Amino acid sequence: MAEHPDAALVRQGYAAFSKGDMETIRSLMTADCTHHSPGSSRMSGHFKGVDNILEHFGQLMELTDGTFEVELKGVYPDGRGHVMAVHKWHGDRGDRGIEMEGGLFFSIVGGKMTDVDECVADIEESDAFWGPAD
């Protein structure tokens, strides 16, 4: 059985992220897509518009000196424009490392991502790793 197109879209996004292919990620999102990151750290908030989302992704790499990685564990579409993806992420920041389970909940319209809600296993630990908001 073929993979649902929404699940394939999310897999393509994860693959592009892992390769640092921001142009492919840009092509998978609507111009006004919003990414919601939990917590109260410098990496938390609502990032509206594909340019702001890509800047946010760049910050993930910058703050971890390029060590930030995501390992996709599963992709689960509902067939009605939503996909839940679960992953493990890790990175190093200074003398501190982190590894955590998490996930993204995607809303998809017309074959493009329109909204992405991020969840993490431990918001307080994630906040401590990223540091306080400026």
Side-chain angles (χ1 to χ4, degrees), residues 15-96:
F17 183 89
S18 292
K19 292 187 273 188
D21 182 357
M22 296 301 124
E23 287 311 307
T24 294
I25 292 174
R26 177 183 298 280
S27 75
L28 303 177
M29 295 179 176
T30 60
D32 64 347
C33 185
T34 303
H35 181 103
H36 311 274
S37 290
S40 58
S41 75
R42 65 176 25 172
M43 296 307 295
S44 302
H46 306 283
F47 303 91
K48 179 124 174 109
V50 70
D51 290 336
N52 289 324
I53 294 169
L54 295 180
E55 183 178 322
H56 174 68
F57 292 167
Q59 281 281 87
L60 295 171
M61 293 302 175
E62 184 178 319
L63 290 172
T64 62
D65 291 324
T67 64
F68 187 85
E69 293 184 8
V70 177
E71 179 186 349
L72 184 62
K73 299 289 190 175
V75 178
Y76 311 105
D78 72 355
R80 296 176 288 122
H82 303 103
V83 175
M84 180 176 59
V86 294
H87 57 253
K88 182 183 288 184
W89 61 276
H90 59 91
D92 297 310
R93 204 163 163 247
D95 62 352
R96 181 179 185 146

